[in-house]
Amino acid sequence: MNLCWNEIKRKSHNIRVRLEAFSDNSGKLQLSLQEIIEWLTAKDEELSEQLPIGGDVGAVQHQREFHQAFMEDVKSRGPFIYSVLESAQAFLAQHPFQEPEETLTEGKEVSPRRRILNVSRSVWKQANVASDLWEKLTARCVDRHRHMERTLERLLQIQAAMEELAVALEQAEGVRDAWEPVGDLFIDSLQDHIDATKLFKEELTQVKEGMKHINDLAHQLAISDVHLSMENARALEHLNSRWKVLQGSIEERLKQLQDAHRDFGPGSQHFLSSSVQIPWERAISPNKVPYYINHQAQTTCWDHPKMTELYQALADLNNIKFSAYRTAMKLRRVQKALRLDLVALSSLVEVFREQELQQGEHVMDVVEVIHGLTSLYEKLEEERSILVNIPLCVDMCLNWLLNVYDSARNGKMRVLSFKMGLVSLCNADVQEKYKYLFRQVSGHGGLTDQRHLSLLLHEAIQIPRQLGEVAAFGGSNVEPSVRSCFRMAPGKPAIEVSHFLEWMSLEPQSMVWLPVLHRVAAAESTKHQAKCYVCKQCPIKGFRYRSLKQFNVDICQTCFLTGRTTKGKKLHYPIMEYYTPTTSGEKMRDFAKTLKNKFRSKQYFTKHPQRGYLPVQSVLEAESSETPCSSPKLPHADTHSRIEHYASRLAEMESQNCSFFTDSLSPDESLDEDQYLLRHSSPALDHDSPCGQHMLLAHLEHQDKEQLQCTLARLENENRVLLSEYRRLKWKHEEAVSVPMLTEAGEGGPGSPTAGGQQDEELLAEARVLRQHKTRLETRMQILEDHNKQLESQLRRLRELLLQVHIQEVMGSRGENNRRKTLTNRMLLLQVKDLKRKLRIGGKKKRIVAEE
């Protein structure tokens, strides 16, 4: 027992020694861990209390040095912390704990083993906290260091870019300050300055990209919670403001230069403002179309004041009875006013080539038209060595072209329209004009089809249409003219220039005004050594008209074209027109013709009518012949243009269906143009002598009246044929009815049913023919009804005109004016009577057709 007791005492002593050693080690380890935790916590708070990263390079560099010292201090503490953590790991390896922590009750003693476990658990907790704090502190130090490095790099980039941009902006501002005011620049140099400004703007693209890069860097710093210092922020804001001001200056400078170039440059309309005088002012609409303001009357109008005066002067020519000559003389005045009588066709072709006006379907705006006209008149001034009022001529010509081809003022016209207007009024041989115009619508092989020819004729007919003379030339429908031209090449889908020239040499109705214009121009400077039979003028200037029915009867153009005669002296047809001085050969030829005509009666000339032009349109053809596939569309679709178109169509129908002047007057009592067998002498076209012979333009109304009378006569003949046919069919029907009766009486044979069937078939065929005739009669009756309505409308208009003439006769002065008005009144009365007679005839024909 003593031995056992001594062994227990020895073991107990050893245990006590080990417990005291354990208590000393764990206490030191816990103290070290607690010290490390407190130090790490203090350093973390110190790191958190550091100031945010600065916004300039100096501040960031100073903060980076301080942070580096802080990191060195932390790194110097690292070995001790790692050794303590390793000791804690070794201690926990020797004294592991696995039991869950138990709550000790009061008064209960803790066993040594339980105390060891509690110590191990406490060491484990302290070691984990110290390790987490150390990792967190080192990570925050590294992140802050990296953030400082990136911030310093960006700030250095911003600083370098700001210095570079400040230099570039200073240079650009120097260039801007050296700009001359726009008002001090020469007009010819405006385009060069515009190009230089655009180039300068392109050169500043790098500055623009640099400013964008700086602003992006500042934005990235702001996102990373780094705000620029006050100095850097003010510098960046100053650069941005300088850049915006520079951009605004460039845009404003470019706008001023472009406005000045548009208003004062070579392509501007500013130079045209001098074409009008006070109180007029030339203004421009948004689509570049000019209009004119009268500040005195406070009105605006599309027409130039000089153009308005010209149109008013053209009203003096309305007393000319012949439509072609009335139109030609009006166009001659327009031609002189626009100075186009001095422009050669070669000059026009050169201008068209310079302006690249080759495609006829291309649409031009007003600016392009002004460019072409300006080049044309400048070339005219250079070639002719004369002084030309270019602004006035360009403005007047532009005004006339817009009136003809763009009356709605849309600011657009086709190249073909532009060429047609100028070529028609230029100074060139008429054959050369025909060839050039044909080339504008011909293809590669020199051929043109119906569509392109209709486009050409449509553009040509717009010229007399603008003067209100379109009805006399077949109206705005050009299909009959196209068909008439293609008769020169039967069966061919396209025609050559030779066919077109052959057709134009016949002076077709739709284009007769153009050769007449050339004869008017040629006759202006001509003097004839003869005495006018009416007004006794000697010598005769202009056209000379010689009677081929009476000897030594010459008439001047004024008396003939206006229908003036002397009392007791009557004019006799036919008449020869001369626009060049006559030769002895022509005199002998006319003497022989006059002697031959002396033995001819008036009935001979009535049976052998001749026209001075090629008629291309017949009665009631206009509406049916107009096809949308080839007939050009109207250029304007607004209400006013449609009203104008309908009025033009009404005038065409009136001119086609009835003559304005009565045909009941004899040639000696009436001076209507369809009563004369008129020829003109041309040196270039006569085949019998040096002076050729062609018929002067006769009036369209007489032809339509004769055709209408022929139509009525043909209807009467058809009515008589239908009556006889009706009687014959009725007789056959009665005879067919009587055949069965004879058969029943025994006189019929085996072939009687066959004969009856044949008669039935004949009756059915005759009935079908009769129905066809009935349909034709109904159609003709409808035509007659429409014609009567038009005659009634014309009668109402004549009554209104008669009433106006009567009022003017009462209110007007006496003498010669009263005598002329009385004569006009009588002529109108005769016209009213003639229209009433036609209405009665038309009513009778309609009743006959209705009865049938």
Side-chain angles (χ1 to χ4, degrees), residues 105-270:
T105 58
E106 294 181 0
K108 187 177 181 180
E109 294 182 359
V110 180
S111 64
R113 184 175 180 81
R114 178 66 57 185
R115 191 166 57 245
I116 292 174
L117 292 175
N118 290 336
V119 171
S120 297
R121 185 178 291 108
S122 177
V123 171
W124 176 76
K125 288 182 180 181
Q126 288 179 333
N128 286 337
V129 172
S131 178
D132 293 340
L133 288 176
W134 172 252
E135 291 178 358
K136 180 180 177 182
L137 180 62
T138 54
R140 287 186 63 188
C141 289
V142 171
D143 290 341
R144 184 173 175 84
H145 178 73
R146 292 176 179 174
H147 191 191
M148 284 184 175
E149 292 294 336
R150 289 195 301 269
T151 302
L152 182 61
E153 181 181 358
R154 290 173 181 172
L155 287 175
L156 289 173
Q157 291 178 0
I158 290 176
Q159 186 175 359
M162 288 174 64
E163 294 176 355
E164 182 180 353
L165 287 176
V167 175
L169 286 176
E170 185 176 0
Q171 294 177 354
E173 288 170 349
V175 174
R176 179 197 61 186
D177 296 337
W179 284 343
E180 297 181 19
V182 177
D184 297 341
L185 300 177
F186 292 103
I187 294 178
D188 297 337
S189 64
L190 288 176
Q191 186 61 46
D192 296 336
H193 284 278
I194 291 175
D195 296 338
T197 305
K198 290 182 178 179
L199 181 61
F200 177 66
K201 184 178 179 180
E202 293 177 359
E203 292 175 351
L204 292 180
T205 305
Q206 295 182 353
V207 178
K208 181 179 180 180
E209 293 176 354
M211 291 300 304
K212 183 177 181 299
H213 179 62
I214 289 178
N215 291 323
D216 291 341
L217 290 176
H219 181 66
Q220 292 174 6
L221 290 176
I223 293 176
S224 60
D225 199 20
V226 176
H227 300 284
L228 295 177
S229 63
M230 293 297 295
E231 182 180 358
N232 287 339
R234 280 196 294 267
L236 181 59
E237 183 179 0
H238 183 59
L239 285 177
N240 282 319
S241 62
R242 289 172 63 187
W243 170 243
K244 289 181 180 178
V245 170
L246 182 61
Q247 279 186 315
S249 301
I250 295 173
E251 295 296 334
E252 182 66 20
R253 172 77 172 185
L254 190 59
K255 181 177 181 301
Q256 290 178 358
L257 289 172
Q258 291 174 345
D259 292 343
H261 186 266
R262 184 189 66 244
D263 297 337
F264 303 99
S268 70
Q269 301 186 36
H270 183 267

Side-chain angles (χ1 to χ4, degrees), residues 323-324 326-328 330-331 404 457-478 481 508-513 616-617 622 634 643-656 697 699-701 704:
S323 302
R326 183 171 61 248
T327 304
K330 289 181 179 179
L331 287 177
V404 175
L457 297 180
H458 178 266
E459 299 297 342
I461 203 64
Q462 300 307 310
I463 295 176
R465 177 178 178 268
Q466 192 267 334
L467 297 175
E469 303 285 352
V470 70
F473 303 100
S476 58
N477 179 28
V478 298
S481 299
Q509 179 181 347
S510 57
M511 294 293 294
V512 69
W513 52 270
V616 294
Q617 187 156 355
L634 289 174
I643 292 174
E644 180 185 359
H645 174 63
Y646 296 148
S648 174
R649 298 298 302 160
L650 177 60
E652 294 172 33
M653 294 303 298
E654 289 177 352
S655 66
Q656 292 166 3
L697 177 67
H699 200 274
L700 177 64
E701 298 173 353
D704 296 336

Side-chain angles (χ1 to χ4, degrees), residues 437-449 452 494-496:
L437 292 175
F438 184 83
R439 288 198 299 268
Q440 303 311 304
V441 293
S442 61
H444 297 291
L447 302 176
T448 186
D449 55 7
H452 288 87
I495 60 172
E496 300 176 356

